[in-house]
Amino acid sequence: MLHLKKLPFFLILTSILLIITYIQQEYVSIPQISNLDLPEEMKEKYLESFFKYRWVGFALVPLIILLRVSYTALCLFLKELFANDIESANYSSCFNVALKADIIMFGASILSCAYILFTGENTLDFQQYISLTCLANTETAEPWLLIPLAAVNVFEIVYWFFMAKLFAVENKCSYWQGFRYVMSGYGVGYLFYIVLAMFLVLYLT
């Protein structure tokens, strides 16, 4: 749970993501809307609507972080609940591990933002350099197929190993025991997330 001692770190992560969100809106989203091949009146309406609701993107930042960290912590905690072989592991310690490990995801967001700004390409192009989407033709492949391919990426792998190290330190166990916990706890939750995302894409399309 988000105790006071974890609040400063959470606020730092939130501040970083707020800055990234602002940069993406200001230097990616707005220019993209301005360069749309549409009549000027329609582009002005799109921009007006964007400026009117852009605050929603900022408001969602802390919620997204909390949901992501809470879900990861829950996956780890459920593993301990059923295995019950590490007595020091509880939801609070799992949340602490998940919150610290989330710094890897922020690294991915920063690098992705920098790549888009300096190359002018999009997120899908960036994914081809760091994930298994390089094995598929993104222009012709089914959207649902790209989800599991994008899920296997460099940052996700680093995230798993880093989380395993944090879990081992937090619970004073061996690194490989911590890694097994991440694999069987968060791994199952991540697989569920991928399957759910694929189902939603298939259902909506």
Side-chain angles (χ1 to χ4, degrees):
M1 297 170 62
L2 189 58
H3 296 153
L4 286 177
K5 63 180 181 179
K6 302 169 188 172
L7 188 59
F9 188 73
F10 173 76
L11 292 176
I12 291 172
L13 293 184
T14 302
S15 300
I16 294 171
L17 194 53
L18 284 172
I19 294 171
I20 294 172
T21 302
Y22 173 79
I23 293 173
Q24 288 178 332
Q25 288 186 354
E26 199 69 23
Y27 299 103
V28 179
S29 300
I30 293 176
Q32 284 179 347
I33 296 174
S34 300
N35 293 329
L36 288 174
D37 188 17
L38 295 172
E40 288 299 322
E41 295 88 358
M42 190 171 294
K43 284 196 289 187
E44 287 178 6
K45 288 183 179 179
Y46 277 127
L47 284 171
E48 182 181 347
S49 178
F50 177 83
F51 283 115
K52 183 178 180 181
Y53 296 105
R54 70 183 300 185
W55 64 270
V56 176
F58 295 108
L60 287 175
V61 165
L63 180 61
I64 290 172
I65 297 173
L66 278 175
L67 286 175
R68 185 167 62 197
V69 172
S70 298
Y71 180 71
T72 301
L74 179 63
C75 293
L76 294 174
F77 176 65
L78 288 177
K79 160 63 180 174
E80 162 57 20
L81 198 63
F82 289 108
N84 197 29
D85 56 351
I86 297 182
E87 294 182 1
S88 59
N90 51 52
Y91 185 80
S92 181
S93 66
C94 291
F95 188 93
N96 188 43
V97 168
L99 183 61
K100 291 178 180 178
D102 209 55
I103 194 69
I104 302 299
M105 296 305 174
F106 279 82
S109 298
I110 293 171
L111 190 58
S112 175
C113 182
Y115 175 83
I116 294 169
L117 286 175
F118 289 111
T119 64
E121 298 181 359
N122 55 43
T123 305
L124 197 57
D125 294 321
F126 177 69
Q127 284 289 336
Q128 287 191 297
Y129 291 106
I130 65 168
S131 71
L132 292 184
T133 53
C134 62
L135 301 177
N137 187 334
T138 56
E139 295 181 359
T140 59
E142 294 290 337
W144 64 268
L145 179 61
L146 296 178
I147 293 175
L149 293 178
V152 183
N153 61 74
V154 173
F155 286 100
E156 189 65 36
I157 294 171
V158 173
Y159 178 66
W160 284 45
F161 281 97
F162 185 56
M163 194 192 311
K165 179 61 177 179
L166 291 174
F167 187 90
V169 172
E170 180 79 18
N171 296 282
K172 297 179 177 59
C173 61
S174 69
Y175 176 80
W176 291 112
Q177 189 175 8
F179 188 75
R180 287 196 298 271
Y181 257 77
V182 171
M183 285 284 290
S184 54
Y186 172 72
V188 173
Y190 191 55
L191 180 61
F192 174 78
Y193 164 78
I194 294 171
V195 172
L196 178 62
M198 291 172 66
F199 172 78
L200 289 175
V201 170
L202 281 170
Y203 179 76
L204 293 175
T205 57

